[in-house]
Amino acid sequence: MRLQPIEKPKGLMMRLAYYFTRRQFGKVMTPMKVVMARMPGSEKIAYEIAKFELKGISLEHSLHYMVGLLTADINGCGFCTDLGRSIAIREHISMEKFDALLEYRTSALFSARERAALAYAEEATRHKRVSDATFEELRKHFNEREIVEITWVNAIENYFNLINLPLEIDSDGFCELAQTRAA
């Protein structure tokens, strides 16, 4: 990690953010201690993004998390992969597909609809654009709102990955914490 985490933040809002994150996830997440503690006010933006992602996206939860996790896997963001998997565990979503995400094109676990969304997210992540063929396949399975939601989830995941990767923020062990709590 390139910057040391700030364990004792300044300001009431950051102390509250640490408290609620610890309460929800079992510990304070490293991006909060590295980034948000140094940029007061950014926790409000991150909170609003997370709140919208949880309440404003109508895609089925498993597909929503698969799009985000595939993006994080492609980008090599250990923190986001760990956090996404922990959320899936906490929401009691089967991990079978998550474990096979990188083989979504050939695995019988995935439907044509899921493959279309994942191919779109992969192409957008790798190339920042998608081909007409990829978009038309997506359009066969999703309405316009769902297409925008898939695009948004992919973009937000790339955004968070681009904060964590250059600062070398890696896994916080949230997946293990979620498994322990679920047991």
Side-chain angles (χ1 to χ4, degrees), residues 109-168:
L109 294 172
F110 298 91
S111 68
R113 175 179 162 87
E114 291 166 334
R115 283 191 182 98
L118 295 169
Y120 177 79
E122 178 178 11
E123 196 170 323
T125 299
R126 292 189 190 282
H127 306 293
K128 312 306 175 238
R129 300 184 186 290
V130 296
S131 68
D132 290 342
T134 300
F135 191 81
E136 287 309 313
E137 185 62 26
L138 187 71
R139 191 183 280 272
K140 287 180 190 175
H141 301 279
F142 296 93
N143 65 40
E144 290 180 357
R145 177 178 172 108
E146 291 169 325
I147 291 169
V148 171
E149 287 182 357
I150 292 165
T151 305
W152 191 88
V153 169
N154 176 256
I156 290 300
E157 189 61 45
N158 275 290
Y159 163 78
F160 283 120
N161 295 172
L162 285 170
I163 291 171
N164 295 325
L165 290 168
L167 295 174
E168 296 181 353

Side-chain angles (χ1 to χ4, degrees), residues 48-59:
E48 290 300 325
I49 290 170
K51 186 171 77 172
F52 180 77
E53 190 168 1
L54 291 173
K55 300 198 187 298
I57 301 294
S58 62
L59 284 173

Side-chain angles (χ1 to χ4, degrees), residues 65-75 101-102 104 117-119 121-122 125:
Y65 295 129
M66 282 191 284
V67 168
L69 279 172
L70 179 65
T71 302
D73 280 344
I74 291 167
N75 288 330
L101 261 180
L102 295 176
Y104 75 88
L118 295 169
E122 178 178 11
T125 299

